[in-house]
Amino acid sequence: MSLRYALIALLTGRPMTGYDISKSFSRSVAHVWHAPDSQIYPELNRMERDGLLASVEVPWGKRATKKEYHVTDAGLADFRAWMESPLVPQRPRDPAYLKAAYFEFADPAAVREQLREQQEYWEEHLAMLERTRATLVDRSHPTLAARIAELTERDAELAVRFKIYAYDGLIARARTELAWIEDGLALVEELHGS
Amino acid sequence: MSLRYALIALLTGRPMTGYDISKSFSRSVAHVWHAPDSQIYPELNRMERDGLLASVEVPWGKRATKKEYHVTDAGLADFRAWMESPLVPQRPRDPAYLKAAYFEFADPAAVREQLREQQEYWEEHLAMLERTRATLVDRSHPTLAARIAELTERDAELAVRFKIYAYDGLIARARTELAWIEDGLALVEELHGS
DNA sequence: ACACCCATGTAATGGGTTACATGATTGC
DNA sequence: GCAATCATGTAACCCATTACATGGGTGT
């Protein structure tokens, strides 16, 4: 259900085509809610059918057109209602922790290997989050820049600060994962020697 | 796919019925991989069909019987193979972060309310994790105790240490969430006043 | 002419959630 | 006798993943 709201959230910034959305996604909302094209296009259609979005055909090249979606009043109302509805805690479901709890079943070398891969992934992910955060702070992030262009300085301040806040959470989480992975490497060293 | 491995992991400790599993789940593996009964029973059947588990009928009361599952050699081999296979990073999909990034669309009072609810949830969750961790350290955790009863002290040590390691990760994560939530409350205070 | 991007999906499958359904046993 | 617990699921639905499919536009 959250995909809907991720899409509305993105479209409140500016009207976009499905293609724009699938591209912006990877650079903004996807950091909190990933979705592939094959899920985005059908969902946009359903949302239009449900009256949350409306679209206008805009020309593309000489003969072709593309559909530009914008959020309707009903869509915005729905989004606000969701924003204010209580948040149901997510069920834990994380293969990394499941594996870690049973590392004694794996070869120590394989464990080390996996931990290093995880470390590499989280380091890159963290770097990406920090780069993105910087573009929020200086307001150069394209999706954010388009969003705040229409807003008063007061409203822009709110929009920017909350986005930075979300990234701060993601960054803290990435650092926590990295610290845990390092502890894992130390633990394997202690238990199985070098 | 990980549900399979969560089930095998649990059954390597001792043979169990579906009912035992669904109960143990809530006190152990469910902290890393939640699953409801309605998913567990059919999955056990499929796993038996696939040769990963085998079952024996044990009497229950005068006339009834129950099925006790144990892991087959093929099941254990499959589990080890999974344990050593590379871990694919999870796609981010967290409604809490999605909402936080767009808090400017919600009423400040509603935001505060949600943050407080989240805070309460995570505090309870953290306390539960810490209690569970303590029962791993003193080896009084029933699922763990049954598991290590058959093992040499060396193997028991490995099993215990890795389980503690997994819980340390969960605890660190819970603390990180709590710190982020507190920052959120402070931010709302700053931006919207008291 | 060709590569690469823009644009928009469908189909099959799998996994998870929610609600419902049923009956036996044990302990008081 | 009755409640709580033990035991085992089915059905409908939704959401997500993976693989595939297709065609126009732009720049060299």
Side-chain angles (χ1 to χ4, degrees), chain A residues 7-19:
Chain A
L7 292 171
I8 296 181
L10 198 58
L11 286 169
T12 55
R14 64 177 181 92
M16 288 188 215
T17 66
Y19 187 79

Side-chain angles (χ1 to χ4, degrees), chain A residues 13-184:
Chain A
R14 64 177 181 92
M16 288 188 215
T17 66
Y19 187 79
D20 291 339
I21 290 171
S22 83
K23 293 304 133 184
S24 301
F25 231 66
S26 54
R27 274 166 233 105
S28 59
V29 212
H31 302 145
V32 292
W33 199 276
H34 162 87
D37 293 6
S38 66
Q39 213 188 342
I40 291 174
Y41 286 105
E43 185 62 25
L44 289 171
N45 282 328
R46 277 191 294 271
M47 289 167 76
E48 186 171 19
R49 187 201 60 201
D50 295 349
L52 305 177
L53 302 181
S55 66
V56 286
E57 296 278 336
V58 301
W60 176 54
K62 298 195 197 337
R63 282 176 303 282
T65 60
K66 54 186 178 177
K67 264 170 107 172
E68 197 172 60
Y69 290 96
H70 59 266
V71 180
T72 63
D73 291 347
L76 192 60
D78 207 49
F79 181 58
R80 284 190 202 278
W82 176 74
M83 284 296 302
E84 298 186 1
S85 70
L87 190 53
V88 288
Q90 291 302 96
R91 319 293 200 163
R93 204 169 275 130
D94 191 329
Y97 287 76
L98 176 57
K99 275 194 177 184
Y102 296 92
F103 269 164
E104 72 268 24
F105 285 90
D107 181 70
V111 170
R112 248 181 241 121
E113 172 68 11
Q114 284 188 56
L115 286 170
R116 289 217 191 88
E117 278 170 19
Q118 287 293 302
Q119 193 173 39
E120 197 180 335
Y121 165 78
W122 280 105
E123 270 164 4
E124 276 166 25
H125 191 66
L126 174 59
M128 182 276 293
L129 290 171
E130 283 174 334
R131 281 195 306 273
T132 307
R133 185 190 190 279
T135 66
L136 296 173
V137 171
D138 70 15
R139 302 188 179 189
S140 66
H141 187 288
T143 313
L144 181 70
R147 172 182 296 280
I148 65 179
E150 311 280 299
L151 301 178
T152 63
E153 174 49 31
R154 161 73 181 161
D155 286 342
E157 169 78 2
L158 290 180
V160 171
R161 294 293 293 277
F162 284 128
K163 267 138 218 75
I164 293 171
Y165 171 62
Y167 275 82
D168 283 343
L170 296 171
I171 288 168
R173 190 184 266 195
R175 287 195 210 282
T176 302
E177 287 294 316
L178 277 167
W180 183 60
I181 291 164
E182 271 157 42
D183 290 349

Side-chain angles (χ1 to χ4, degrees), chain B residues 118-159:
Chain B
Q118 287 292 109
Q119 193 173 38
E120 197 181 335
Y121 166 76
W122 280 105
E123 271 164 4
E124 277 167 26
H125 191 67
L126 175 59
M128 181 277 293
L129 290 171
E130 284 174 333
R131 279 195 308 273
T132 308
R133 185 191 191 277
T135 66
L136 296 174
V137 171
D138 70 14
R139 303 189 177 187
S140 68
H141 188 288
T143 312
L144 180 70
R147 171 182 298 277
I148 64 179
E150 312 281 299
L151 302 179
T152 63
E153 174 49 30
R154 161 73 181 163
D155 286 344
E157 169 79 1
L158 289 180

Side-chain angles (χ1 to χ4, degrees), chain B residues 15-17 48 54-59 65-70:
Chain B
M16 287 189 216
T17 66
E48 186 172 19
S55 64
V56 286
E57 297 276 336
V58 300
T65 61
K66 54 185 179 178
K67 265 170 105 171
E68 198 173 60
Y69 291 96
H70 59 267

